[in-house]
Amino acid sequence: TMGSTPQVPGAVAIFNSSGIAFGTLGGGILEAKAERLAIEAINSKQTILHEINFKSKIDDQSGAICGGSALFLLDANPKASYSVFKQINDSLQQNTPGVLLTEIIQISESAITLNRYWVKADDKIPEILVSQYKLSKNTLAEIRNTKKNGILNHPDNPHYKKIESILFAQATVPPPQLIIAGAGHIGQALCHLGHFLGFEVTVLDNRPDLATTKRFPEASRLIVKNMKEAFEDVPISKNSFVVIVTQGHRTDMEALAACIHSDANYIGMIGSKRKIALVHDHFISQGICSDDDFKRVHAPIGLDIHSVTVPEIATSIAAQLIEVKNRETKSSTPPPVWCMVLAAGKSTRMKQQKLLMWWNGQTIIETVVQKALDSFTEKVLIVTGSHNEEIKNQIRQMPVLTIKNKDFANGMLSSVQCGIQAVPGEVGAVIIMLGDQPMIETKLINQLIRAWQETHKGLIVPVWKGKRGHPLLIDLKFRNDINLLDQNIGLRELLLNHPEEILELDVASDTILKDIDTPEDYQKELNLKV
């Protein structure tokens, strides 16, 4: 879309020979036009790409006056993409989001070819999309996080007819999971509203006479067990919204204890302010949770709209669910993360510049840089010092930034401080990588980034069997702290000063503890690699 239109990019509908069968393109003129063309496409078996504008004058009886335009695709042969649609369905069944990429190639005026790809977070991007459209993991991560669909190769001054091929990206995520603990009247009303709002609803209760399909026809799942056992049967993720409305405070407390430490996006519990205060004090005194844990519980539950009746209470809860869900959807993209590769040392013990030694068909520095480039990081910054020109020359073809640390002889911290000064203010965190650790995998870099985005901890440290290693992720809220660190202590001082900000990330390999300093180290790692 461009300008004002009746729908947003990514709107989908299914048409058959009788008209629209599922979904919507926003109704009105756009949907009516699409419906007419869809019937033509069904009969001709020809896929159609069509643009419609909404720039009619105010006195036009048949046109629309929104002022924008929309481009829509009518796929006349969806069966050809069956395998991709099946992959999407399987992913959604496993609560795994991804991005559906549709390549639209205009072969002639009337001939269009479609290629579809399904890419999850950890999937490798098809090489053709990287080479043809310069598609990166960062771009796909942003689409997944913001759920903003659109054309990825759109020119700055778009004119659809001039585009020979289009790559359209569509964030595809599982429906939010609404878990209702309590099959009473409020749970029943909320199940209906939740289903209507697009939630997949699960109802938990220990009363088989109430938790029935007759009373909850719109629930995807009913679990009749005590609350502790019922919650053990329900996978809870960041896509889960838990509402506790059982028959009394005891079962409410059982339900809350079972989910308060979960990853649920939302936990709400019904009750008066006095009840909530008593439950809070009980949970703290019994060590069930901390005060911070309890603060994430929406209690009393629902938006304060002075609701009295059951439908009103259910509506207030549903409104709060929408508020939390959409707050997450509309939140800004996480600040970018940069990788900082430290490549300034003299390599004294190696007796030659180790970063220029060969490793699996390329130099060590190229290997480390490539692994950083393949990650979710936005930019890779190389801090050089000794052998500055040789190292820069070795990586001259790689899309990286470089900066020379004139004080590299003062040690590693001076390189970190030099690099930090070159990182823009909008960057949220940096990953400090050692240039002599070609064993480190891209997967670990991505794990550090995800841990930072999910936990908001300021210092993410990989750990193997209790021992801390590299690379290290540092939130740039510590930018000023880094510049004030003692050169004799280094980054360890930052960790000592902020223990509450440290997240130790357990890893499966001891490579985080190893670097290559001597010829013996080099030969040993080469032998292990072979």
Side-chain angles (χ1 to χ4, degrees), residues 248-472:
H249 72 276
R250 289 189 180 277
T251 45
D252 282 349
M253 290 167 63
E254 289 176 14
L256 183 59
C259 68
I260 196 166
H261 295 294
S262 71
D263 291 331
N265 194 345
Y266 171 98
I267 300 174
M269 183 175 70
I270 199 165
S272 65
K273 291 183 178 179
R274 181 177 183 275
K275 169 190 167 179
I276 302 305
L278 291 172
V279 174
H280 168 271
D281 293 345
H282 175 76
F283 272 48
I284 303 302
S285 65
Q286 295 300 309
I288 297 172
C289 72
S290 67
D291 185 58
D292 284 341
D293 292 330
F294 203 92
K295 284 178 180 176
R296 65 188 289 245
V297 181
H298 295 262
I301 199 170
L303 297 185
D304 185 6
I305 56 174
H306 307 291
S307 50
V308 177
T309 65
V310 166
E312 289 175 348
I313 294 170
T315 299
S316 75
I317 297 171
Q320 191 171 62
L321 295 175
I322 295 169
E323 180 187 49
V324 173
K325 178 174 70 70
N326 289 350
R327 184 194 311 152
E328 292 295 316
T329 301
K330 291 182 69 176
S331 63
S332 59
T333 306
V337 177
W338 280 28
C339 272
M340 183 191 301
V341 180
L342 305 184
K346 290 183 178 180
S347 301
T348 304
R349 284 184 284 174
M350 186 65 76
K351 303 187 185 306
Q352 62 175 300
Q353 179 47 258
K354 59 188 174 183
L355 303 190
L356 299 177
M357 295 170 67
W358 287 98
W359 183 274
N360 198 28
Q362 57 186 353
T363 59
I364 288 177
I365 186 62
E366 288 175 290
T367 303
V368 174
V369 170
Q370 190 58 57
K371 289 181 178 181
L373 288 170
D374 289 340
S375 74
F376 295 151
T377 52
E378 182 182 78
K379 294 282 185 183
V380 178
L381 173 67
I382 317 299
V383 183
T384 64
S386 174
H387 299 80
N388 170 60
E389 292 303 323
E390 295 98 315
I391 290 175
K392 285 178 63 176
N393 184 62
Q394 194 65 44
I395 58 175
R396 66 187 183 281
Q397 301 296 332
M398 306 181 89
V400 298
L401 303 175
T402 61
I403 185 171
K404 183 178 180 181
N405 174 22
K406 296 179 181 178
D407 300 320
F408 69 90
N410 291 333
M412 187 176 79
L413 179 60
S414 69
S415 290
V416 174
Q417 291 171 331
C418 174
I420 290 294
Q421 293 175 13
V423 177
E426 66 269 16
V427 176
V430 294
I431 294 176
I432 309 297
M433 298 182 66
L434 305 183
D436 58 0
Q437 278 192 314
M439 306 82 73
I440 295 299
E441 297 297 331
T442 297
K443 180 180 178 181
L444 174 59
I445 303 171
N446 291 339
Q447 287 176 324
L448 291 169
I449 295 172
R450 280 197 293 267
W452 175 70
Q453 292 174 341
E454 293 171 0
T455 68
H456 306 293
K457 288 288 188 179
L459 301 164
I460 316 290
V461 188
V463 174
W464 183 77
K465 293 187 176 180
K467 296 180 180 180
R468 294 175 177 175
H470 283 87
L472 164 70

